[in-house]
PDB file of all heavy atoms in Angstrom:
ATOM      1  N   VAL A 285     227.667  97.792  13.551  1.00 94.00           N
ATOM      2  CA  VAL A 285     226.962  97.520  14.811  1.00 94.00           C
ATOM      3  C   VAL A 285     227.843  97.869  16.004  1.00 94.00           C
ATOM      4  O   VAL A 285     227.373  98.427  17.002  1.00 94.00           O
ATOM      5  CB  VAL A 285     226.522  96.036  14.886  1.00 94.00           C
ATOM      6  CG1 VAL A 285     225.758  95.780  16.187  1.00 94.00           C
ATOM      7  CG2 VAL A 285     225.647  95.685  13.694  1.00 94.00           C
ATOM      8  N   GLN A 286     229.142  97.569  15.925  1.00 92.00           N
ATOM      9  CA  GLN A 286     230.041  97.833  17.047  1.00 92.00           C
ATOM     10  C   GLN A 286     230.013  99.300  17.490  1.00 92.00           C
ATOM     11  O   GLN A 286     229.971  99.582  18.698  1.00 92.00           O
ATOM     12  CB  GLN A 286     231.462  97.386  16.688  1.00 92.00           C
ATOM     13  CG  GLN A 286     232.437  97.390  17.850  1.00 92.00           C
ATOM     14  CD  GLN A 286     233.043  98.766  18.095  1.00 92.00           C
ATOM     15  OE1 GLN A 286     233.154  99.559  17.145  1.00 92.00           O
ATOM     16  NE2 GLN A 286     233.402  99.056  19.332  1.00 92.00           N
ATOM     17  N   PRO A 287     230.031 100.290  16.563  1.00 89.00           N
ATOM     18  CA  PRO A 287     229.960 101.685  17.018  1.00 89.00           C
ATOM     19  C   PRO A 287     228.669 102.008  17.760  1.00 89.00           C
ATOM     20  O   PRO A 287     228.656 102.883  18.633  1.00 89.00           O
ATOM     21  CB  PRO A 287     230.062 102.489  15.710  1.00 89.00           C
ATOM     22  CG  PRO A 287     230.782 101.584  14.774  1.00 89.00           C
ATOM     23  CD  PRO A 287     230.287 100.215  15.110  1.00 89.00           C
ATOM     24  N   LEU A 288     227.570 101.311  17.434  1.00 93.00           N
ATOM     25  CA  LEU A 288     226.309 101.538  18.148  1.00 93.00           C
ATOM     26  C   LEU A 288     226.423 101.052  19.594  1.00 93.00           C
ATOM     27  O   LEU A 288     225.907 101.687  20.523  1.00 93.00           O
ATOM     28  CB  LEU A 288     225.165 100.817  17.443  1.00 93.00           C
ATOM     29  CG  LEU A 288     224.986 101.077  15.945  1.00 93.00           C
ATOM     30  CD1 LEU A 288     223.731 100.376  15.428  1.00 93.00           C
ATOM     31  CD2 LEU A 288     224.930 102.570  15.660  1.00 93.00           C
ATOM     32  N   VAL A 289     227.107  99.920  19.775  1.00 93.00           N
ATOM     33  CA  VAL A 289     227.310  99.392  21.133  1.00 93.00           C
ATOM     34  C   VAL A 289     228.239 100.319  21.911  1.00 93.00           C
ATOM     35  O   VAL A 289     227.989 100.629  23.086  1.00 93.00           O
ATOM     36  CB  VAL A 289     227.873  97.965  21.062  1.00 93.00           C
ATOM     37  CG1 VAL A 289     228.188  97.446  22.465  1.00 93.00           C
ATOM     38  CG2 VAL A 289     226.902  97.034  20.353  1.00 93.00           C
ATOM     39  N   GLU A 290     229.309 100.767  21.264  1.00 89.00           N
ATOM     40  CA  GLU A 290     230.229 101.671  21.948  1.00 89.00           C
ATOM     41  C   GLU A 290     229.533 102.977  22.323  1.00 89.00           C
ATOM     42  O   GLU A 290     229.757 103.532  23.409  1.00 89.00           O
ATOM     43  CB  GLU A 290     231.440 101.959  21.072  1.00 89.00           C
ATOM     44  CG  GLU A 290     232.473 102.850  21.766  1.00 89.00           C
ATOM     45  CD  GLU A 290     233.741 103.031  20.958  1.00 89.00           C
ATOM     46  OE1 GLU A 290     233.808 102.528  19.834  1.00 89.00           O
ATOM     47  OE2 GLU A 290     234.668 103.682  21.483  1.00 89.00           O
ATOM     48  N   ASN A 291     228.673 103.476  21.427  1.00 87.00           N
ATOM     49  CA  ASN A 291     227.926 104.696  21.736  1.00 87.00           C
ATOM     50  C   ASN A 291     227.026 104.495  22.952  1.00 87.00           C
ATOM     51  O   ASN A 291     226.894 105.382  23.804  1.00 87.00           O
ATOM     52  CB  ASN A 291     227.080 105.090  20.521  1.00 87.00           C
ATOM     53  CG  ASN A 291     226.375 106.424  20.722  1.00 87.00           C
ATOM     54  OD1 ASN A 291     226.953 107.490  20.549  1.00 87.00           O
ATOM     55  ND2 ASN A 291     225.100 106.367  21.096  1.00 87.00           N
ATOM     56  N   ALA A 292     226.406 103.293  23.033  1.00 91.00           N
ATOM     57  CA  ALA A 292     225.532 103.005  24.176  1.00 91.00           C
ATOM     58  C   ALA A 292     226.308 102.999  25.483  1.00 91.00           C
ATOM     59  O   ALA A 292     225.834 103.495  26.517  1.00 91.00           O
ATOM     60  CB  ALA A 292     224.844 101.660  23.962  1.00 91.00           C
ATOM     61  N   VAL A 293     227.544 102.457  25.459  1.00 90.00           N
ATOM     62  CA  VAL A 293     228.354 102.419  26.677  1.00 90.00           C
ATOM     63  C   VAL A 293     228.862 103.818  27.030  1.00 90.00           C
ATOM     64  O   VAL A 293     228.704 104.281  28.166  1.00 90.00           O
ATOM     65  CB  VAL A 293     229.542 101.445  26.501  1.00 90.00           C
ATOM     66  CG1 VAL A 293     230.485 101.540  27.701  1.00 90.00           C
ATOM     67  CG2 VAL A 293     229.036 100.018  26.337  1.00 90.00           C
ATOM     68  N   ARG A 294     229.466 104.490  26.053  1.00 86.00           N
ATOM     69  CA  ARG A 294     230.127 105.771  26.336  1.00 86.00           C
ATOM     70  C   ARG A 294     229.143 106.880  26.668  1.00 86.00           C
ATOM     71  O   ARG A 294     229.358 107.664  27.597  1.00 86.00           O
ATOM     72  CB  ARG A 294     230.978 106.192  25.135  1.00 86.00           C
ATOM     73  CG  ARG A 294     232.218 105.375  24.919  1.00 86.00           C
ATOM     74  CD  ARG A 294     233.020 105.912  23.754  1.00 86.00           C
ATOM     75  NE  ARG A 294     233.434 107.303  23.981  1.00 86.00           N
ATOM     76  CZ  ARG A 294     234.060 108.046  23.065  1.00 86.00           C
ATOM     77  NH1 ARG A 294     234.311 107.535  21.869  1.00 86.00           N
ATOM     78  NH2 ARG A 294     234.419 109.280  23.336  1.00 86.00           N
ATOM     79  N   HIS A 295     228.049 106.961  25.901  1.00 86.00           N
ATOM     80  CA  HIS A 295     227.148 108.103  26.040  1.00 86.00           C
ATOM     81  C   HIS A 295     225.831 107.758  26.712  1.00 86.00           C
ATOM     82  O   HIS A 295     225.068 108.655  27.069  1.00 86.00           O
ATOM     83  CB  HIS A 295     226.869 108.718  24.666  1.00 86.00           C
ATOM     84  CG  HIS A 295     228.123 109.071  23.926  1.00 86.00           C
ATOM     85  ND1 HIS A 295     229.040 109.964  24.412  1.00 86.00           N
ATOM     86  CD2 HIS A 295     228.620 108.622  22.741  1.00 86.00           C
ATOM     87  CE1 HIS A 295     230.051 110.072  23.551  1.00 86.00           C
ATOM     88  NE2 HIS A 295     229.821 109.257  22.538  1.00 86.00           N
ATOM     89  N   GLY A 296     225.566 106.452  26.882  1.00 87.00           N
ATOM     90  CA  GLY A 296     224.352 106.053  27.575  1.00 87.00           C
ATOM     91  C   GLY A 296     224.597 105.665  29.020  1.00 87.00           C
ATOM     92  O   GLY A 296     223.963 106.197  29.934  1.00 87.00           O
ATOM     93  N   LEU A 297     225.554 104.752  29.244  1.00 89.00           N
ATOM     94  CA  LEU A 297     225.765 104.208  30.592  1.00 89.00           C
ATOM     95  C   LEU A 297     226.878 104.901  31.371  1.00 89.00           C
ATOM     96  O   LEU A 297     226.764 105.087  32.588  1.00 89.00           O
ATOM     97  CB  LEU A 297     226.078 102.710  30.493  1.00 89.00           C
ATOM     98  CG  LEU A 297     225.053 101.849  29.746  1.00 89.00           C
ATOM     99  CD1 LEU A 297     225.430 100.382  29.880  1.00 89.00           C
ATOM    100  CD2 LEU A 297     223.643 102.094  30.262  1.00 89.00           C
TER     101      LEU A 297
END
Side-chain angles (χ1 to χ4, degrees):
V285 181
Q286 190 276 332
L288 308 185
V289 176
E290 183 174 4
N291 185 81
V293 173
R294 289 183 60 185
H295 306 300
L297 305 187

